[in-house]
């Protein structure tokens, strides 16, 4: 029987779990890990040093007996059936009031199901997204917990200690009941998909239209990361261009196959946005682009069938300046879409989300952290009911200032046949959302013409139908 009582338990000592548990230990809490894999258990015991502060086992009863009451057990196992399996394995060893935290990228309706199931048994369940990858988990991630508010008080000191800090403020906050935390993490990942797609498009344009080398691309992204585009993704992009390839003489980025994989969180964001009736087309396009990227052989075959315009190389400095504005604009649009979705989800699912607080806990630790999130947090702080970021007076001048260059970049890409679907979609979304009268009156007329679906009028109340073609 294990003598020492540990403050925190962690199941799943993989990429995230191993780093998270060491982070808990470094912040003054004792932690006990559990994994099925002997090597992972032994590796943690080696790396952890003092066994009184961190230890691990492959024996579940020992694991549960070693935790202080109420037990606080975090799961960092692959999302899906494994989470249900681990919960079932744990239940015989738990007491009422114990807390299970699912830190993985679980689908939010699974979290609601698990929450209802466990609350009947007196167990508190937290769906709690964690972002920041391995490094974030080790040194300070952004944490997005949702669940029972009172029970959160037991977890709060640990989460606040291990979370990333932005100017001293922890990047974690209680977000709302039930699946609020997993939902926010899902949309975080949707925004992540959009920002990654947009970054890759700008890289492609600078390289193919203006001939920037990897060294030049490094310099561009590095300098952008010191300005208003300062963000984790721009920072790592700068670093990526410098990485030499161990297996050939060039840079690694040029040797990586152009097929992007996905685990599903971006797709879920798009699917649920459609259920809610909230447009997030830049996120949708980012998901579609991963799908198009997977069609490698089809793309290669089609490439040989069609002509692409051959235009002169563009002046570097001018394109770099315009591209900075295009990336800034489209990052703003990505956040605007994701936060709009969160506002609607909050109403639909009763999460009572505080969008300013969400932007605040994304300012450090997570993959979508960016300097502009401070402005976004302020915009929603000034007007918590802001329907869409584009309505914030503080963003109007910023967006207006970028637009001419954004449109120029898009035209350059279209003229050259360089695919920038994320940027073009962002511009079209912006143009549509800022147009008082759209041509969808014609769609209503068509619907009524072929299917008597009726329409409303601009000049009077009521529902109308016309026998089209009779006058
Ligand atoms: N990697 C990342 O950057 C991020 C991942 N996430 C999410 O965090 C979760 C964990 O991801 P990650 O750490 O990357 O995944 P890993 O696959 O690296 O780690 C998962 C760990 O769980 C173990 N495991 C599987 N089944 C069980 C079980 N029944 N009991 C105990 N342990 C088990 C696995 O062991 P074994 O290998 O032997 O199966 C493995 O050690 C996922 O939901 C992921 O989506 C969230 C943010 C970032
Ligand atoms: O949650 C994350 C970061 O926030 C993960 O890294 C995410 O799983 C990556 O998603 P995908 O594999 O679909 O690109």
């Amino acid at each position: 029987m294990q003598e020492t009582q540990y403050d925190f338990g962690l199941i799943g000592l993989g990429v995230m779990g191993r780093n998270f548990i060491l982070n808990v230990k470094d912040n003054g809490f004792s932690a006990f890990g559990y994994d099925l894999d002997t090597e992972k258990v032994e590796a943690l015991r080696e790396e952890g040093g003092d066994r009184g502060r961190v230890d691990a086992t492959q024996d579940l009863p020992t694991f549960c007996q070693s935790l202080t009451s109420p037990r606080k057990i975090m799961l960092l196992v692959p999302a899906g059936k494994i989470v249900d399996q681990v919960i079932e394995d744990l239940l015989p060893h738990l007491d009422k009031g114990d807390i299970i935290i699912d830190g993985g990228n679980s689908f939010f309706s699974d979290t609601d199901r698990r929450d209802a199931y466990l609350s009947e048994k007196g167990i508190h369940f937290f769906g709690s997204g964690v972002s920041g990858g391995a490094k974030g988990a080790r040194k300070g991630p952004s944490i997005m917990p949702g669940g029972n508010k009172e029970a959160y008080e037991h977890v709060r000191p640990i989460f606040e200690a291990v979370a990333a800090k932005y100017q001293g403020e922890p990047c974690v906050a209680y977000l709302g009941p039930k699946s609020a935390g997993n939902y926010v993490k899902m949309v975080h990942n949707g925004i992540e998909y959009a920002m990654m797609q947009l970054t890759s498009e700008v890289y492609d344009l600078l390289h193919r239209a203006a001939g920037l080398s990897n060294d030049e691309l490094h310099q561009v992204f590095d300098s952008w990361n010191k300005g208003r585009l300062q963000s984790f993704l721009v920072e790592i992009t700068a670093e990526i261009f410098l990485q030499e390839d161990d297996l050939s003489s060039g840079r690694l980025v040029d040797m990586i196959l152009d097929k992007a994989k996905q685990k599903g969180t971006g797709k879920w964001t798009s699917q649920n946005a459609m259920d809610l009736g909230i447009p997030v087309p830049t996120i949708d396009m980012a998901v579609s682009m991963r799908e198009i990227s997977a069609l490698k052989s089809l793309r290669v075959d089609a490439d040989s069938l069609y002509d692409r315009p051959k235009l002169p190389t563009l002046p570097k400095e001018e394109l770099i300046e315009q591209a900075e504005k295009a990336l800034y604009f489209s990052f703003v649009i990505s956040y605007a879409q994701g936060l709009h979705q969160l506002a609607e989800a909050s109403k639909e699912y009763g999460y009572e989300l505080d969008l300013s607080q969400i932007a605040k806990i994304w300012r450090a630790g997570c993959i979508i952290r960016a300097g502009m999130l401070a402005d976004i947090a302020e915009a929603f702080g000034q007007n918590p009911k802001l329907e869409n970021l584009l309505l914030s007076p503080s963003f109007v001048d910023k967006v207006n200032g970028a637009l001419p260059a954004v449109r120029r970049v898009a035209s350059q890409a279209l003229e050259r046949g360089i695919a920038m679907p994320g940027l073009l979609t962002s511009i079209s979304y912006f143009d549509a959302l800022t147009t008082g009268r759209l041509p969808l009156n014609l769609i209503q007329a068509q619907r009524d013409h072929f299917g008597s679906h009726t329409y409303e009028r601009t000049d009077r109340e009521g529902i109308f139908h016309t026998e089209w073609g009779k006058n």
Side-chain angles (χ1 to χ4, degrees), residues 128-321:
S128 184
V130 177
S131 179
K135 224 181 203 171
R138 184 70 184 84
K139 295 287 173 198
S142 171
I143 312 176
M144 295 155 242
N148 178 286
K149 196 168 187 181
E150 286 81 55
Y152 179 65
E153 288 307 308
H154 293 289
V155 182
R156 190 162 65 86
I158 301 176
F159 275 7
E160 289 188 353
V162 304
K165 306 291 176 306
Y166 179 85
Q167 297 179 355
E169 279 179 56
C171 289
V172 57
Y174 172 80
L175 295 182
K178 301 182 288 179
S179 55
N182 276 131
Y183 194 94
V184 170
K185 177 67 199 313
M186 176 185 81
V187 173
H188 164 288
N189 281 22
I191 297 170
E192 173 183 305
Y193 271 51
M195 293 171 74
M196 291 170 82
Q197 172 61 29
L198 294 159
T199 314
S200 74
E201 291 176 11
V202 165
Y203 143 62
D204 198 30
L205 184 77
L206 291 174
H207 178 57
R208 287 167 64 194
L212 267 73
S213 66
N214 284 321
D215 282 336
E216 288 169 320
L217 285 162
H218 161 75
Q219 281 164 12
V220 168
F221 277 85
D222 190 49
S223 74
W224 286 352
N225 192 44
K226 295 183 175 96
R228 64 179 177 168
L229 277 177
Q230 184 274 317
S231 57
F232 174 73
L233 287 168
V234 169
E235 178 189 324
I236 62 164
T237 302
E239 206 175 294
I240 284 167
F241 292 121
L242 287 189
Q243 184 77 38
E244 300 289 350
D245 183 18
D246 288 343
L247 303 176
S248 74
S249 56
R251 296 283 160 89
L252 179 56
V253 69
D254 295 324
M255 302 310 293
I256 294 177
L257 189 65
D258 54 334
K259 285 166 77 169
K261 298 278 165 64
Q262 49 180 324
K263 295 202 191 77
T265 47
K267 183 184 76 178
W268 296 341
T269 307
S270 282
Q271 286 174 328
N272 188 256
M274 289 203 186
D275 289 343
L276 294 174
I278 296 297
V280 295
T282 310
I283 297 172
D284 301 339
M285 186 49 83
V287 176
S288 293
M289 280 306 290
R290 292 204 189 186
E291 288 157 1
I292 290 178
S293 85
L295 304 173
K296 175 77 177 175
S297 62
L298 185 157
R299 286 190 286 117
V300 170
D301 289 347
D303 195 350
S304 62
L305 299 179
Y306 295 95
D307 299 331
R308 202 174 302 278
K310 289 184 183 52
L311 296 174
T313 304
L314 291 170
K316 287 180 185 171
E317 287 312 315
E318 196 182 326
L319 189 64
I320 291 167
E321 204 186 311

Side-chain angles (χ1 to χ4, degrees), residues 436-458:
R437 180 161 170 86
L438 289 170
L440 278 81
N441 50 327
L442 181 62
I443 292 180
Q444 283 296 77
Q446 290 166 331
R447 291 178 70 247
D448 192 53
H449 190 298
F450 63 65
S452 303
H453 292 298
T454 73
Y455 56 88
E456 291 169 281
R457 294 180 56 94
T458 56

Side-chain angles (χ1 to χ4, degrees), residues 11-12 14-16 35-37 40 76-77 79 82 86 104-105 130 133:
I11 295 186
V15 174
M16 295 298 283
D35 199 293
L36 300 172
D37 181 350
K40 290 194 178 102
L76 275 162
V77 297
I82 293 178
V86 173
N105 284 329
V130 177

Side-chain angles (χ1 to χ4, degrees), residues 290-446:
R290 292 204 189 186
E291 288 157 1
I292 290 178
S293 85
L295 304 173
K296 175 77 177 175
S297 62
L298 185 157
R299 286 190 286 117
V300 170
D301 289 347
D303 195 350
S304 62
L305 299 179
Y306 295 95
D307 299 331
R308 202 174 302 278
K310 289 184 183 52
L311 296 174
T313 304
L314 291 170
K316 287 180 185 171
E317 287 312 315
E318 196 182 326
L319 189 64
I320 291 167
E321 204 186 311
Q322 291 168 346
E324 188 271 346
K325 293 188 168 85
L327 202 53
Y328 177 79
F329 166 82
S330 52
F331 276 9
V332 170
I333 296 290
S334 306
Y335 287 119
Q337 291 177 9
L339 289 161
H340 195 176
Q341 178 170 352
L342 286 179
E344 187 62 22
S346 183
K347 286 186 234 157
E348 178 71 19
Y349 305 124
Y351 292 147
E352 296 192 22
L353 298 175
D354 176 340
L355 297 187
S356 177
Q357 190 179 50
I358 290 167
K360 281 184 183 168
I361 66 166
W362 287 347
R363 288 175 303 178
C366 65
I367 304 298
I368 64 167
R369 66 181 180 254
M372 72 176 75
L373 278 164
D375 299 334
I376 295 174
E378 205 179 308
F380 283 99
Q382 278 164 4
N383 180 6
K385 293 200 160 60
L386 192 63
E387 195 181 350
N388 188 296
L389 187 61
L390 291 172
L391 292 176
S392 162
S394 60
F395 273 86
V396 172
D397 285 348
K398 293 181 176 87
V399 170
N400 272 334
L403 273 173
V406 175
R407 296 192 194 283
R408 189 79 201 109
V409 167
S411 314
Q412 305 279 19
L414 283 170
E415 281 169 16
R416 283 169 171 72
I418 295 175
M420 295 191 84
L423 180 68
L424 295 177
T425 303
S426 300
I427 299 170
S428 297
Y429 166 84
F430 171 84
D431 285 338
L433 207 69
T434 56
T435 295
R437 180 161 170 86
L438 289 170
L440 278 81
N441 50 327
L442 181 62
I443 292 180
Q444 283 296 77
Q446 290 166 331

